Amino acid sequence: AGFWLLEKLALARGVTLKKDNHYQALVGKEGGLWLVMPQTFMNASGRAVQMLAGFFKIPPDEILVVHDELDFAPGTARLKQGGGIAGHNGLKDISQRLGTHDYWRLRIGVGRPTGDSGADYVLEKPPAEEREAIEGAIAPALEHVPLMLADDMQGAMQKLHSEDKPVAKKAEAPKPEPKKAEPKKAEAKKTPPKEDKPGLLKGLLKGLTGSRK
């Protein structure tokens, strides 16, 4: 999902991403904005980030890493600075090479797999419904890039977090409640018949049973 966002951002801003063997990444530039898509294995993602940030003196708090987030449902996007890496090999390598966790992260929810490992899961194509939800999370994130570039990360965070729409799980149909046994009616004592007012018994039955007779 991170590459999807960068590709869309490059297209929207007219930036061409070119392969750079020195950084082992696809790299594009617009003014002071660098777009970097590492072409190494996930656990070596930090190499390109470290080299480019080191050469151009880019501090960690001006770096935004966009990545898949297994703990978020598809359709969710969250922006934060620092924090743990939750076993993410790409973040682990970036943090080790930069010597800090204090870079910004844009986390795009892809959902957690039930059987496959996370490493295999993020390489697979998502189902159509989930793909649509992920695209739906990327779109508002792109809209708030100008705020991020203007160094208003808090403003971008507030807007982004109020707009995501995770895929809702299908609700299970409620199970029918077992029918309760009707209590046995007590046998009425035999009494001599009494004359009732016309229509009284008939009207009472209509109220209890819904009979239209």
Side-chain angles (χ1 to χ4, degrees), residues 60-61 63-67 69 71-72 77-86 91 101-108 148 153-154 156-158 160-161:
D61 62 357
I63 296 172
L64 174 65
V65 177
V66 186
H67 65 89
E69 180 56 74
D71 291 332
F72 292 162
R78 288 285 186 271
L79 185 64
K80 77 168 186 176
Q81 183 180 20
I85 57 176
L91 295 179
H101 295 307
D102 291 336
Y103 47 88
W104 284 90
R105 306 166 196 185
L106 179 56
R107 301 171 291 166
I108 308 295
M148 301 179 200
M153 300 299 280
Q154 295 298 326
M157 185 188 305
Q158 184 177 4
L160 184 63
H161 293 187

Side-chain angles (χ1 to χ4, degrees), residues 16-38:
T16 302
L17 296 168
K18 297 180 179 180
K19 186 175 181 180
D20 190 315
N21 291 328
H22 179 65
Y23 295 119
Q24 292 185 313
L26 296 178
V27 181
K29 187 176 186 296
E30 182 201 26
L33 172 66
W34 287 92
L35 302 180
V36 182
M37 294 171 58

Side-chain angles (χ1 to χ4, degrees), residues 72-178:
F72 292 162
T76 302
R78 288 285 186 271
L79 185 64
K80 77 168 186 176
Q81 183 180 20
I85 57 176
H88 193 295
N89 289 329
L91 295 179
K92 180 180 179 181
D93 190 60
I94 292 172
S95 295
Q96 287 179 343
R97 291 177 184 270
L98 293 179
T100 180
H101 295 307
D102 291 336
Y103 47 88
W104 284 90
R105 306 166 196 185
L106 179 56
R107 301 171 291 166
I108 308 295
V110 296
R112 183 168 289 281
T114 53
D116 297 336
S117 68
D120 294 331
Y121 179 71
V122 296
L123 298 176
E124 298 174 357
K125 289 184 178 180
E129 184 181 4
E130 293 183 2
R131 169 96 190 203
E132 184 179 351
I134 293 169
E135 296 277 8
I138 288 174
L142 288 172
E143 291 179 8
H144 304 319
V145 165
L147 284 175
M148 301 179 200
L149 295 178
D151 202 25
D152 186 6
M153 300 299 280
Q154 295 298 326
M157 185 188 305
Q158 184 177 4
K159 288 180 177 293
L160 184 63
H161 293 187
S162 65
E163 293 174 350
D164 58 58
K165 297 179 180 179
V167 173
K169 292 184 178 180
K170 293 182 180 179
E172 295 184 0
K175 295 181 180 179
E177 294 183 3

